[in-house]
Amino acid sequence: MESQNKASLPVMDGLERRVASRSEGARTCDLLLRVLALVLTLAAAIVLGVDKQTKVVPIKILDTLPPISLPVSAKWHYLPAFTYSVASNAIACSYAALSLALSVSGKKGMMSIVVVLDLLMVALLFSSNGAALAIGLMGYQGNSHVRWTKVCNVFGRFCNQVAVSISLSLLGSIVFLFLVGTTSLRLLKKSK
Amino acid sequence: MESQNKASLPVMDGLERRVASRSEGARTCDLLLRVLALVLTLAAAIVLGVDKQTKVVPIKILDTLPPISLPVSAKWHYLPAFTYSVASNAIACSYAALSLALSVSGKKGMMSIVVVLDLLMVALLFSSNGAALAIGLMGYQGNSHVRWTKVCNVFGRFCNQVAVSISLSLLGSIVFLFLVGTTSLRLLKKSK
């Protein structure tokens, strides 16, 4: 019996070490994903938050008069969808920093709050991406049915910056989606 | 010792029964939420998918001629955001029916796929809600900066139907969010 116990000990030790190393690996991966989410959402908020372009455009004030050239500005906060996108990315970025601090501190009691807030960030970011993309595409293409003309042929740089911000925000939201997915699958594996 | 064992048996039985009843309760709640998600997303897709309004509107073809009254139609598929919303709700509805069948069959091996697909439905539905809401609000309010005029003053019934569909879709996406949240928290509790 004693020899059996002795023989099984190194096996158990190896198994425990493997489990501990896997858990450590998962934690490192979680931390890296949170850093990535922070960087992407911060960049998305900044790129859209500083977006502004002024152009001199010929405008017809009266039908009987020739058009007058006037400077016209395009600013991100002129469209509510872009304001929502900047706000959502700023919230997600702040939360990523907070959750990173919580993860580094290793407080296990906060895990349920982090899981719920990660999920809320997925909902928040995907809804703002949908809104910004819908308005951005309308700016690129216009729509003849509702007579909304495209504006990106005039404000090209402004629109390109919007596209970059939406792409960064989309990547950030995919990182949050990945965070929730991997956590759920890990918990599912653990609970079996 | 024997009497101790006998005394502890009913306690263990009670505990097991309580755990089993809780697990059964969680399963019933999960099934009900899936039925609710199915109904809400199906209703959202139908309400928007049949949305159409025709009105006689005075249109000016030439500046020198008086406006001519012509019938103009508003249809849901004229705007890509609404097409995306109908498609997303149809996908979420079909998935809700599929996941309901999987849950009823009680196949435990499919749990990880269901968790991942529930999460993808949250992302899909929230992005389509954001897109439809952004375009819907633009239709209600218009935007003077990009010179997109509001259309809901003309097509009131059409816009109201869009609002009902977005509300239903939003409720459906909250149900999916709730499903992912409760599953994650239940798994977290189990894994402790």
Side-chain angles (χ1 to χ4, degrees):
Chain A
M1 277 292 282
E2 211 176 33
S3 67
Q4 255 186 359
N5 277 343
K6 268 181 193 167
S8 69
L9 263 174
V11 176
M12 283 300 288
D13 269 4
L15 196 72
E16 271 168 15
R17 235 180 288 134
R18 222 161 46 204
V19 169
S21 127
R22 248 187 223 168
S23 166
E24 196 54 41
R27 205 175 150 239
T28 313
C29 177
D30 185 278
L31 288 178
L32 285 175
L33 284 174
R34 282 179 201 284
V35 172
L36 191 62
L38 190 153
V39 173
L40 287 167
T41 50
L42 179 69
I46 291 174
V47 168
L48 191 54
V50 298
D51 201 4
K52 187 187 165 185
Q53 190 180 5
T54 305
K55 274 202 123 178
V56 177
V57 181
I59 294 173
K60 222 175 181 180
I61 296 172
L62 278 172
D63 284 340
T64 47
L65 290 173
I68 306 164
S69 291
L70 286 173
V72 177
S73 289
K75 289 177 188 170
W76 63 276
H77 57 86
Y78 283 173
L79 289 155
F82 294 161
T83 312
Y84 179 47
S85 183
V86 170
S88 301
N89 277 291
I91 291 170
C93 170
S94 313
Y95 165 71
L98 180 75
S99 71
L100 201 61
L102 283 175
S103 294
V104 169
S105 73
K107 278 184 186 170
K108 285 212 167 178
M110 305 296 276
M111 184 86 176
S112 52
I113 297 171
V114 169
V115 164
V116 171
L117 289 177
D118 278 355
L119 189 57
L120 288 180
M121 290 307 123
V122 169
L124 182 75
L125 284 177
F126 271 95
S127 67
S128 75
N129 287 342
L133 203 57
I135 295 297
L137 275 177
M138 191 59 81
Y140 261 108
Q141 300 174 336
N143 192 294
S144 58
H145 299 291
V146 281
R147 297 189 174 190
W148 293 346
T149 51
K150 55 181 168 185
V151 287
C152 290
N153 49 341
V154 179
F155 298 101
R157 193 178 50 74
F158 179 85
C159 288
N160 289 343
Q161 213 161 316
V162 169
V164 170
S165 170
I166 295 174
S167 309
L168 288 167
S169 177
L170 199 62
L171 287 175
S173 52
I174 289 170
V175 171
F176 271 111
L177 190 76
F178 201 71
L179 263 171
V180 179
T182 48
T183 307
S184 299
L185 291 179
R186 204 164 56 235
L187 290 173
L188 187 66
K189 217 172 175 182
K190 252 185 172 179
S191 70
K192 269 177 186 169
Chain B
M1 276 294 278
E2 209 176 36
S3 67
Q4 257 184 354
N5 276 344
K6 268 182 191 165
S8 69
L9 263 173
V11 177
M12 282 300 287
D13 271 5
L15 196 72
E16 271 168 15
R17 233 180 288 135
R18 223 158 49 202
V19 169
S21 125
R22 251 189 221 166
S23 165
E24 195 53 42
R27 203 174 153 243
T28 313
C29 179
D30 186 278
L31 288 178
L32 285 176
L33 284 174
R34 283 182 199 282
V35 172
L36 192 62
L38 190 152
V39 173
L40 287 167
T41 50
L42 180 68
I46 292 173
V47 168
L48 191 55
V50 299
D51 200 5
K52 186 187 164 184
Q53 190 180 5
T54 304
K55 275 200 123 180
V56 177
V57 180
I59 294 173
K60 227 177 180 180
I61 297 171
L62 279 171
D63 285 340
T64 47
L65 290 174
I68 305 163
S69 291
L70 286 173
V72 178
S73 289
K75 290 176 187 169
W76 63 275
H77 57 85
Y78 283 171
L79 290 154
F82 295 160
T83 312
Y84 179 46
S85 183
V86 170
S88 302
N89 277 292
I91 291 169
C93 170
S94 313
Y95 165 71
L98 180 76
S99 70
L100 201 59
L102 284 174
S103 294
V104 169
S105 73
K107 278 184 186 171
K108 284 208 168 182
M110 305 296 277
M111 183 87 177
S112 51
I113 297 170
V114 169
V115 164
V116 170
L117 289 178
D118 278 354
L119 188 58
L120 288 180
M121 289 306 122
V122 169
L124 183 74
L125 284 176
F126 270 95
S127 67
S128 75
N129 287 342
L133 203 57
I135 294 297
L137 275 177
M138 190 60 80
Y140 261 110
Q141 300 174 335
N143 192 296
S144 58
H145 299 291
V146 280
R147 296 190 174 190
W148 292 346
T149 50
K150 56 182 169 188
V151 287
C152 290
N153 50 342
V154 180
F155 298 101
R157 193 177 51 73
F158 178 85
C159 288
N160 289 342
Q161 214 162 315
V162 169
V164 170
S165 169
I166 294 173
S167 308
L168 288 166
S169 177
L170 199 62
L171 287 175
S173 52
I174 289 170
V175 171
F176 271 111
L177 190 76
F178 201 71
L179 263 171
V180 178
T182 49
T183 306
S184 300
L185 292 179
R186 204 165 53 235
L187 290 173
L188 187 65
K189 217 173 176 183
K190 251 184 170 179
S191 70
K192 272 179 184 170

